[in-house]
Amino acid sequence: MSDPTTIRRLYGRRSGHKLRQGQAALLEELLPAISVPEGPIDAGTLFGDDRPLHFEIGFGSGEHLAFRADLLPDHGFIGAEPFLNGVVGALTHIRDQRLANVRLHMGDALEVLERLPDASLRFVYLLHPDPWPKARHAKRRMVNHGPLDLVSRKLQQSGELRLGTDDPTYCRWSMMVMDQRSDFEWLAEKPEDFLTRPGGWPETRYEAKARRKGHEVWYFRYRRL
């Protein structure tokens, strides 16, 4: 089955409401200074030293990315997001919190992941990805074996993949796909372990909106074996 690693196509919208003048200035001035460069990349290329690296696939408006970067200032954070307004949101957090340890890519996360060395990432985050609930769209889901093979290669041994979703179909699908893999260990011993948000995992605007709608939210943590 084709999945995001073979389709090589981003689905969904790229922009929303028109940018205000200050937002457009952020995009023109700050984004080029902190964008992921072309070619092979590593901690030294991105941050000038050897440090633990984190990668967020689709960072929304950047709340989680900024929270983690502020919490761990000696780590390096890479975020990829195709949605223009989401990138502007992340830039706002980076400016306001004066975060020097974040690099952004407006586009395909997999293209950036491919350019990182194998076993170079401490954490990979996939929070509330597009669920594509219809069965015929299952190949578009990021939780498929092609993307997971890539994530597995880039994670260090004992590195962690974190997945959050409020979509029941995506929850069941993810559990099924991850159960088929021998390279990840699910870090849950009881239901509370995936029904309660772990420490250091902030509530995002999207998650708060989901809860206001009465949705359950599931938190999955997997260790790379």
Side-chain angles (χ1 to χ4, degrees):
M1 180 180 70
S2 296
D3 60 37
T5 54
T6 54
I7 296 171
R8 307 312 294 182
R9 176 182 172 187
L10 292 172
Y11 293 91
R13 59 181 184 167
R14 295 296 189 93
S15 63
H17 58 78
K18 184 178 179 180
L19 299 181
R20 298 188 296 272
Q21 184 176 354
Q23 292 175 320
L26 265 182
L27 199 67
E28 294 174 6
E29 297 168 11
L30 181 55
L31 182 59
I34 63 169
S35 285
V36 175
E38 298 294 329
I41 51 175
D42 57 18
T45 303
L46 296 172
F47 302 103
D49 55 25
D50 186 20
R51 61 173 68 192
L53 292 178
H54 303 231
F55 195 105
E56 185 160 352
I57 300 172
F59 52 73
S61 294
E63 301 106 313
H64 174 272
L65 186 67
F67 178 94
R68 296 289 288 172
D70 187 56
L71 184 69
L72 300 166
D74 57 338
H75 290 209
F77 289 79
I78 309 163
E81 170 62 58
F83 184 43
L84 173 64
N85 297 83
V87 172
V88 171
L91 290 170
T92 302
H93 288 295
I94 292 166
R95 179 199 62 193
D96 293 349
Q97 297 175 236
R98 299 182 180 181
L99 301 173
N101 59 333
V102 181
R103 299 292 179 266
L104 301 182
H105 174 73
M106 189 166 66
D108 186 356
L110 298 177
E111 185 271 329
V112 180
L113 272 175
E114 289 169 343
R115 295 191 279 122
L116 284 161
D118 290 350
S120 62
L121 296 175
R122 183 78 59 88
F123 283 87
V124 172
Y125 309 102
L126 179 61
L127 309 183
H128 299 281
D130 288 334
W132 298 111
K134 295 181 180 179
R136 70 176 183 271
H137 293 154
K139 63 186 178 181
R140 301 182 183 181
R141 296 171 186 158
M142 194 61 69
V143 177
N144 269 302
H145 290 298
L148 289 171
D149 288 344
L150 179 60
V151 169
S152 180
R153 289 202 310 273
K154 303 307 175 180
L155 274 172
Q156 302 169 356
Q157 187 175 13
S158 297
E160 189 172 315
L161 168 63
R162 291 188 176 183
L163 166 67
T165 184
D166 65 306
D167 184 85
T169 299
Y170 209 95
C171 176
R172 292 190 295 269
W173 173 269
S174 299
M175 292 174 71
M176 178 191 72
V177 172
M178 294 302 296
D179 189 56
Q180 296 169 1
R181 302 194 64 91
S182 60
D183 49 353
F184 286 99
E185 175 189 14
W186 189 12
L187 298 176
E189 298 178 354
K190 55 188 183 300
E192 289 80 5
D193 292 337
F194 61 92
L195 293 173
T196 305
R197 190 184 324 104
W201 185 330
E203 182 181 58
T204 64
R205 227 179 316 176
Y206 183 94
E207 181 183 335
K209 181 179 178 181
R211 288 201 179 280
R212 287 196 299 271
K213 292 180 177 179
H215 296 184
E216 182 63 270
V217 179
W218 296 276
Y219 310 90
F220 294 96
R221 298 172 58 222
Y222 293 94
R223 179 188 293 130
R224 173 70 167 89
L225 299 175

